[in-house]
Amino acid sequence: MNTQVPEQIVAAQKVGGEVLYGFFNTAFEVYEKLVALNLQAAKASILENEAVVAEAAALSTKDPQSFFELQSRQSQATTKKAQAYWQHLNEIATETRSQLLASSEKLASEYVRETRVIIDNLAKNPQAGNEAITAFWSKGFGAMWDAANALHGQARAAAKEAVNVMDRAGKPVARA
C-alpha cells in the first residue's frame, strides 16, 4: 500500500483548513474596519451637529438670513462627508476583494497541485493487482485536470471582468 497518499491527503486538507481560516480572518478584519469607520462617522456627526445646533440657535434669533446660509453650508458639507464615507467604504471593499481573490487563487492552485501529486503517486506506485484501475483513474483524472484548468481560466476571466464592472460602477459614485 502506498503510504504517501494518506499523508498527501492530510496535507491537502490542512492547506484547505488554513485557507478557510484565512478567509475568516479577512472577514473579521473587514468587520473591524467597518465598525471603526461607522463609529468614527457617528462620533464626528454628533460633534458637528452639536456645534451646528448651537450656532443655529444663536443665528435664528438674530439674523434669519445667516441661519439659512448656515443650513445651505451644512447641506453641502453633509454631501461631501457622505461621498468621503462611501469612497472609504469602496476602498475597504476593493482591498477585501483583492485579498479574497488572492486567497482563492492560492487555495485553487494548492488544491490542484496537491491533487496532481496524489494522482501522479498513484500512477507511479499502483497497488498490486490494481494496475488497470489505477490507469483508468489516472486517465480520468487527467481529463478532469484538463477540464478543470479550462474552467479555472474561464472563472478567472469572469472574476476579473466582474471586478472591472464593479470598479467602473463604483467610480462615478465616489467622484459625484
Side-chain angles (χ1 to χ4, degrees), residues 37-53 74 78 81-82 85:
L37 175 65
N38 287 327
L39 286 174
Q40 179 184 13
K43 185 177 180 180
S45 178
I46 289 170
L47 293 174
E48 290 168 5
N49 285 337
E50 183 180 11
V52 168
V53 166
Q74 277 309 112
T78 301
K81 289 173 194 163
Y85 174 84

Side-chain angles (χ1 to χ4, degrees), residues 7-156:
E7 293 170 0
Q8 291 167 341
I9 291 172
V10 169
Q13 289 174 340
K14 181 181 177 187
V15 169
E18 289 172 357
V19 172
L20 180 64
Y21 282 110
F23 283 142
F24 288 150
N25 286 333
T26 300
F28 193 74
E29 288 171 7
V30 169
Y31 180 74
E32 286 178 325
K33 288 177 184 178
L34 292 175
V35 167
L37 175 65
N38 287 327
L39 286 174
Q40 179 184 13
K43 185 177 180 180
S45 178
I46 289 170
L47 293 174
E48 290 168 5
N49 285 337
E50 183 180 11
V52 168
V53 166
E55 186 177 350
L59 290 175
S60 66
T61 57
K62 296 179 183 173
D63 185 12
Q65 181 67 26
S66 297
F67 174 74
F68 291 118
E69 288 174 5
L70 173 66
Q71 285 183 330
S72 176
R73 283 194 317 265
Q74 277 309 112
S75 176
Q76 292 170 357
T78 301
T79 302
K80 288 180 182 180
K81 289 173 194 163
Q83 288 173 342
Y85 174 84
W86 287 108
Q87 184 175 3
H88 194 98
L89 197 62
N90 189 22
E91 289 169 3
I92 291 172
T94 301
E95 178 184 330
T96 302
R97 183 180 61 234
S98 18
Q99 286 176 348
L100 291 176
L101 189 58
S103 295
S104 297
E105 286 183 8
K106 178 184 175 187
L107 172 64
S109 65
E110 285 290 323
Y111 180 76
V112 167
R113 186 182 63 77
E114 291 292 329
T115 303
R116 189 66 177 178
V117 168
I118 292 170
I119 293 168
D120 289 344
N121 282 337
L122 283 173
K124 289 177 188 175
N125 305 315
Q127 290 182 341
N130 291 332
E131 291 84 6
I133 293 173
T134 302
F136 175 75
W137 274 47
S138 182
K139 287 186 181 192
F141 278 119
M144 285 177 24
W145 175 269
D146 294 339
N149 281 336
L151 183 62
H152 180 260
Q154 291 172 351
R156 190 171 182 182

